[in-house]
Amino acid sequence: MRTAILVDGGFYRKRAFAIAGDITAKERAEELYSYCKRHLWEKKNKKDFFEHELYRIFYYDCPPSSKKIYHPLLRSTIDLGKTDIYKWANEFFDELSKKRKVALRMGTLSDALAHYNLKKDTVKMLINGKKTIEDLTENDFSIFIDQKGVDMKIGLDIASLAYKKQVDQIVLISGDSDFVPASKLARREGIDFILDSLGEKVKDDLSLHIDGLKTHIDSIKPTNKTQLLTTDL
């Protein structure tokens, strides 16, 4: 069985960080590559496994922003192009691009309206009186920058792979129900469509239109490293 693996990059990076913490760009690229390849192995019986043929790993994401944004708590402008996350992201994409049979599909960031937001947990704590304005720190804020073109590229690639009969199976690593039309199309074309939501609960309308829900989340090993500045992409 020929298999294509499609990775919603922003989703994977968030989930991998939540599970394993912060690691170097090279380590995260290795982790992602190894994780994807685990989907190629399938049980034949209780003792034996067989390996699917990898068509390609498609990774979808956006390059990091180098915009300068005003921080409301620090009351100063932050140059994102000089942050650790900017350097980390570029190194991560560079490492991924060197992997065999990995194709990067990059969208764009609509950063004209980029801004800092209070994190959801911080807002809840403020409302519940568990935190005051005076208690706020930089860690209570995250950057919001809207992505453009990523979901469209994923949907188009699913349709292209299905119509051209280039693969027998598609594994989508994502938790977004926006891909329901694409998954329905692929299944109508005879594609075995597998979803990996990395342990996240999926909506009913998505689970109804896939051929299986499969994850190898236990293979992602936790670390004790600290968090870098992250964005709400």
Side-chain angles (χ1 to χ4, degrees):
M1 185 177 287
R2 208 172 194 200
T3 300
I5 302 172
L6 283 62
V7 185
D8 181 346
F11 174 76
Y12 179 87
R13 288 189 290 111
K14 280 187 177 182
R15 287 294 294 146
F17 177 81
I19 298 163
D22 174 43
I23 55 181
T24 67
K26 185 173 182 178
E27 289 171 333
R28 182 112 294 156
E30 292 285 351
E31 171 199 87
L32 171 60
Y33 191 65
S34 297
Y35 185 86
C36 288
K37 295 193 78 171
R38 287 181 68 90
H39 274 289
L40 300 176
W41 290 92
E42 192 168 329
K43 271 191 175 182
K44 187 175 183 180
N45 50 50
K46 290 184 178 180
K47 295 182 179 180
D48 301 319
F49 288 80
F50 65 90
E51 185 179 7
H52 297 301
E53 178 189 355
L54 176 63
Y55 174 70
R56 194 160 289 131
I57 297 170
F58 296 93
Y59 180 85
Y60 305 84
D61 214 326
C62 289
S65 174
S66 58
K67 188 178 178 65
K68 295 179 180 179
I69 306 177
Y70 180 77
H71 197 297
L73 181 67
L74 302 179
R75 297 182 181 180
S76 62
T77 299
I78 305 297
D79 186 347
L80 299 182
K82 295 181 179 178
T83 60
D84 289 338
I85 191 62
Y86 181 85
K87 179 181 178 182
W88 186 97
N90 282 322
E91 289 179 359
F92 174 69
F93 297 144
D94 183 58
E95 289 293 334
L96 271 186
S97 69
K98 297 174 183 176
K99 301 294 183 186
R100 175 164 168 74
K101 290 197 173 184
V102 173
L104 270 61
R105 297 279 200 265
M106 305 303 285
T108 58
L109 292 177
S110 180
D111 58 7
L113 299 177
H115 58 277
Y116 279 93
N117 274 341
L118 282 171
K119 294 180 179 177
K120 292 180 181 179
D121 290 343
T122 299
V123 173
K124 289 180 182 178
M125 293 178 72
L126 287 171
I127 292 174
N128 295 332
K130 296 180 179 180
K131 180 173 281 194
T132 66
I133 298 296
E134 289 72 22
D135 296 328
L136 294 178
T137 68
E138 287 184 67
N139 290 332
D140 291 309
F141 292 81
S142 60
I143 304 169
F144 176 81
I145 306 177
D146 197 20
Q147 284 187 339
K148 297 293 183 182
V150 172
D151 289 357
M152 178 69 74
K153 289 177 185 290
I154 295 176
L156 287 173
D157 280 346
I158 291 173
S160 177
L161 290 167
Y163 280 137
K164 293 180 180 179
K165 307 296 183 184
Q166 292 173 310
V167 297
D168 306 298
Q169 182 185 70
I170 291 175
V171 176
L172 174 63
I173 300 177
S174 180
D176 196 335
S177 60
D178 289 345
F179 302 121
V180 167
S183 65
K184 289 172 68 175
L185 181 151
R187 294 179 77 208
R188 285 198 300 268
E189 293 299 313
I191 303 296
D192 182 41
F193 196 96
I194 305 298
L195 176 69
D196 182 353
S197 63
L198 295 173
E200 289 277 90
K201 181 178 173 58
V202 299
K203 295 180 180 178
D204 291 339
D205 60 346
L206 184 55
S207 60
L208 285 171
H209 301 292
I210 58 177
D211 292 305
L213 189 63
K214 184 178 179 182
T215 187
H216 298 286
I217 196 172
D218 292 340
S219 68
I220 301 178
K221 305 299 183 183
T223 69
N224 294 317
K225 296 187 178 182
T226 56
Q227 180 179 9
L228 288 173
L229 178 65
T230 57
T231 63
D232 283 346
L233 298 183

